[in-house]
Amino acid sequence: TRRDARQASLRRRVVSRDSCPARGRSSVVQRPDERTHPTDLNRWRSCANKAGVDRLRQATMSSTTATAKKARGGSGQGLSNEAEIKAHVSKYATADDAAAWRVLATSVALLVGTLWAYFTVRAHVAAALAPALGAPLAAALATALWVVVRGLVYVRLFMVFHDCTHLSFFKSAALNRYVGILSGTPLGAPYKFWRDGHVHHHRVLGDTTIVDKSRTVFHSTEQWAAMPLWKRAGWRVIREPFLFFAVVPYAMFAIEYRFRLAAKPAEHPFLCVSHTVLPLAYLLALYAYSPAAFWAECAAHVVATTTGVVLFHYQHQVNLGFWQAGNVDRAEASIKASTYLYVPWCLKWATLGIEYHHVHHYDARVPCYKLAASHHEAPDGMWRDVNYVGPKKILVAFFHTLVDKKRERFVAFEPYYSVLRAAGLDDNYESHCADYGSAYGAAGGAKAHAQ
């Protein structure tokens, strides 16, 4: 039929020697995952129409897996239990539309509900606290509480946006794109710009020979020593941990992304309207209605962007890292260069499972609402190579600002480095599980080290 002929033509066009090394191994188009070049993703999306999307979803994990296995004979040693991990994670690597709609509906309800709560519930909270704290302090505390909750709601919405960029939130590729564009509007995150950069991050993770611009640690100790004094002083101010995480994330989302769109309105007319004009119109309307609400909303955006970038920092810039110059085994890099981050139970509603980042990088097809189950339902000892980040590592890694390539460690600026060493918080770990006992007790730590 005409449809079958069109599908055959699309398969021949997409499954080429350059874009898919798996040619000849299967008649089904191999779906590129997040580690594939953006051009290959675009080729795949061009044929992911309504008639063929279900067939395309049956593709294997990634064409890069074959490349990684060829490279394993080089410097990479690979994972000793990769077959076990692949068999387990693949059970969760399909979207559940019912669960996705529930997560999306609750996220939108929280977004609308918190805005309503600013003008209603916040006043009641302030009135309840006024007898004990006084009216001004009670009003300030109620507003601060609202800012934090509102910021965490934005973090939750960003996790939905993040999954949509991986085409993993819904079964339909088109629905992922539409929801991704819409969910990125209030966040100031253009779908295409952010997706392309994030795809590159997944593709080069763990390879020290390729620059990953999404990292939060920019220079090595050798580069730092070779800088002229004026440049070193400038970077010392910019990369001061407290200043960096408070200012740079908000500037990136609120200013950089929107100016990039506004600079080329002819190329991205829809995104220019949806991600620049509409958010600015909303903020101006909010300011006209209530200047206090406008400033509270801006503060919530700062909380959201800071929280998101800090989470990303803890997902990769923590000792021990994964250090390999070329010939990177993607499976090994996904497990060892990503972390399992400790998040208190009261905040898990906002993070939506992104703390299980090792699972996400191993197979980005696992949606956010299945990440926790894929981790906790694994056989005992399966995650023995994962870098667990508990309270101690959270404190130390916050100050990681440079890479010591000789020691293969992240290190901090002075005086933080000396203060941490003096306090006995040196993070020269010899095991990825060095901080495991802080969350699971001494027995858990001993078990992890034994494994």
Side-chain angles (χ1 to χ4, degrees):
T1 64
R2 184 179 300 175
R3 187 186 67 183
D4 293 337
R6 184 170 181 269
Q7 287 298 309
S9 175
L10 288 170
R11 283 196 296 272
R12 286 194 298 270
R13 195 186 318 166
V14 174
V15 186
S16 63
R17 186 166 300 177
D18 295 332
S19 63
C20 184
R23 183 182 181 182
R25 192 174 60 190
S26 172
S27 61
V28 178
V29 178
Q30 297 292 322
R31 174 197 170 184
D33 70 352
E34 76 292 340
R35 288 165 287 196
T36 312
H37 193 273
T39 302
D40 301 334
L41 280 173
N42 292 333
R43 290 177 181 173
W44 181 83
R45 290 188 185 96
S46 68
C47 67
N49 53 25
K50 184 176 180 181
V53 69
D54 292 335
R55 190 180 305 170
L56 294 172
R57 287 287 180 182
Q58 299 173 1
T60 54
M61 185 176 171
S62 170
S63 61
T64 56
T65 303
T67 305
K69 288 182 178 179
K70 292 179 182 179
R72 196 166 300 166
S75 58
Q77 297 179 353
L79 296 170
S80 60
N81 61 337
E82 182 180 349
E84 180 187 21
I85 294 176
K86 183 176 181 179
H88 172 75
V89 173
S90 63
K91 296 185 295 184
Y92 303 87
T94 54
D96 181 350
D97 282 353
W101 281 115
R102 286 195 298 270
V103 172
L104 180 61
T106 53
S107 300
V108 173
L110 286 169
L111 188 66
V112 176
T114 48
L115 183 60
W116 169 82
Y118 179 85
F119 299 102
T120 56
V121 178
R122 184 184 63 90
H124 293 292
V125 173
L129 296 175
L133 302 176
L137 183 58
L141 185 60
T143 301
L145 180 62
W146 181 88
V147 166
V148 172
V149 174
R150 179 76 167 176
L152 293 176
V153 170
Y154 278 122
V155 171
R156 177 186 175 93
L157 187 63
F158 183 83
M159 299 311 167
V160 174
F161 166 82
H162 168 265
D163 267 24
C164 288
T165 62
H166 287 295
L167 304 180
S168 62
F169 195 68
F170 293 104
K171 291 181 180 179
S172 167
L175 189 57
N176 277 303
R177 290 195 296 272
Y178 296 145
V179 173
I181 292 172
L182 293 175
S183 60
T185 298
L187 301 168
Y191 182 85
K192 184 181 183 303
F193 289 169
W194 198 88
R195 180 200 67 206
D196 291 348
H198 194 62
V199 165
H200 178 75
H201 159 69
H202 275 257
R203 188 167 58 92
V204 305
L205 181 69
D207 192 340
T208 58
T209 63
I210 303 177
V211 177
D212 182 0
K213 294 182 179 180
S214 64
R215 286 295 187 100
T216 53
V217 175
F218 307 115
H219 302 107
S220 67
T221 52
E222 292 82 359
Q223 292 172 326
W224 181 257
M227 285 184 185
L229 183 60
W230 65 268
K231 190 174 183 179
R232 193 186 310 176
W235 273 109
R236 181 63 181 84
V237 173
I238 294 173
R239 197 50 190 86
E240 165 62 34
F242 295 100
L243 180 65
F244 176 81
F245 290 118
V247 176
V248 173
Y250 182 74
M252 180 175 63
F253 280 90
I255 301 174
E256 180 192 0
Y257 285 157
R258 290 185 173 131
F259 272 95
R260 286 175 64 184
L261 289 172
K264 299 179 180 180
E267 294 183 15
H268 311 283
F270 176 77
L271 290 180
C272 187
V273 173
S274 64
H275 288 68
T276 303
V277 178
L278 290 182
L280 290 177
Y282 161 71
L283 291 175
L284 289 175
L286 188 63
Y287 182 81
Y289 182 78
S290 172
F294 166 81
W295 291 113
E297 179 76 347
C298 291
H301 277 268
V302 174
V303 170
T305 53
T306 295
T307 303
V309 174
V310 167
L311 283 172
F312 182 81
H313 177 77
Y314 285 131
Q315 287 161 0
H316 299 291
Q317 279 75 215
V318 183
N319 291 328
L320 296 171
F322 179 83
W323 314 83
Q324 193 164 317
N327 293 332
V328 174
D329 185 308
R330 296 303 177 195
E332 184 181 14
S334 298
I335 297 299
K336 293 183 178 181
S338 304
T339 67
Y340 166 33
L341 176 64
Y342 168 73
V343 173
W345 64 268
C346 57
L347 298 179
K348 287 181 177 290
W349 65 271
T351 59
L352 284 181
I354 200 64
E355 60 269 23
Y356 304 98
H357 211 57
H358 56 294
V359 180
H360 168 64
H361 264 271
Y362 185 82
D363 191 347
R365 296 176 302 169
V366 180
C368 59
Y369 43 82
K370 290 186 178 182
L371 288 172
S374 63
H375 174 87
H376 291 294
E377 295 174 6
D380 290 342
M382 196 182 81
W383 302 121
R384 57 181 174 268
D385 292 318
V386 173
N387 187 5
Y388 173 73
V389 181
K392 178 183 175 182
K393 282 190 177 182
I394 288 175
L395 174 61
V396 176
F398 178 80
F399 300 97
H400 286 165
T401 47
L402 295 172
V403 176
D404 188 339
K405 291 186 176 181
K406 292 182 179 179
R407 296 171 53 230
E408 294 188 344
R409 292 290 191 275
F410 295 105
V411 295
F413 282 142
E414 292 289 356
Y416 301 122
Y417 182 77
S418 298
V419 171
L420 291 172
R421 287 181 62 90
L425 296 175
D426 189 8
D427 59 346
N428 289 325
Y429 309 116
E430 297 301 330
S431 168
H432 280 82
C433 302
D435 204 21
Y436 202 81
S438 61
Y440 296 98
K447 181 179 179 181
H449 280 292
Q451 292 171 341

